[in-house]
């Protein structure tokens, strides 16, 4: 994808493209029950930051987002019962993020005017993990 973006001319004053990686707060807080998940998300965030530096001369911004638990079918097992209540209580909002909220954040990060945040990873976890 980046190779294609390099070949696309940018509009005056705007970056040629944006890449938004969706990782996880698990990259920063650790995932003792599923360590490969946390490690892979940390790798994704590191790759995104490296690519932000590499692709900037081509006018391509690379940003990341690190959501906490998302109310999806995949997370359904963890969000059920008492365990789910404990997970929701990790955030002072006492809930987890919706897929639509994550999508809205990705759209905001993909906006041409957010290019100066290239290399950043947005913590998007409802204050459930602060670093």
């Amino acid at each position: 994808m980046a190779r294609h973006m390099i070949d696309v001319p940018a509009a005056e004053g705007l970056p040629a493209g944006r890449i938004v990686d969706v990782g996880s707060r698990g990259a920063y807080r650790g995932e003792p029950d599923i360590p490969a998940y946390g490690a892979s998300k940390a790798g994704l965030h590191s790759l995104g930051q490296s690519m932000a530096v590499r692709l900037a001369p081509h006018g391509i911004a690379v940003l990341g987002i690190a959501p906490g638990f998302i109310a999806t079918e995949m997370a359904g097992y963890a969000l059920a019962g008492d365990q789910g209540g404990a997970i929701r209580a990790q955030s002072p909002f006492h809930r987890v993020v919706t897929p639509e909220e994550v999508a809205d954040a990705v759209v905001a990060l993909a906006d041409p005017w957010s290019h100066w945040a290239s290399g950043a990873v947005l913590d998007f976890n409802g204050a459930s993990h602060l670093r």
Side-chain angles (χ1 to χ4, degrees):
M1 181 59 100
R3 289 197 186 280
H4 173 72
M5 293 172 137
I6 289 169
D7 294 335
V8 175
E12 182 75 28
L14 295 177
R18 272 102 24 233
I19 297 170
V20 180
D21 296 323
V22 180
S24 171
R25 72 177 182 176
Y28 303 111
R29 71 176 209 152
E31 294 291 345
D33 294 333
I34 45 173
Y37 176 83
S40 68
K41 295 303 183 173
L44 176 65
H45 291 310
S46 181
L47 174 65
Q49 291 175 323
S50 296
M51 295 308 294
V53 175
R54 178 77 171 138
L55 295 174
H58 301 285
I60 299 169
V62 183
L63 301 99
I65 183 170
F69 269 94
I70 305 171
T72 63
E73 187 176 318
M74 184 179 105
Y77 76 95
L79 296 173
D82 290 341
Q83 179 182 357
I87 290 169
R88 285 185 284 281
Q90 292 173 7
S91 167
F93 295 103
H94 298 286
R95 68 180 187 86
V96 298
V97 72
T98 67
E100 293 80 12
E101 290 170 314
V102 175
D104 288 344
V106 169
V107 168
L109 292 174
D111 185 275
W113 300 108
S114 66
H115 73 275
W116 203 245
S118 189
V121 178
L122 173 64
D123 288 326
F124 199 72
N125 59 53
S128 65
H129 179 72
L130 302 174
R131 57 183 178 112

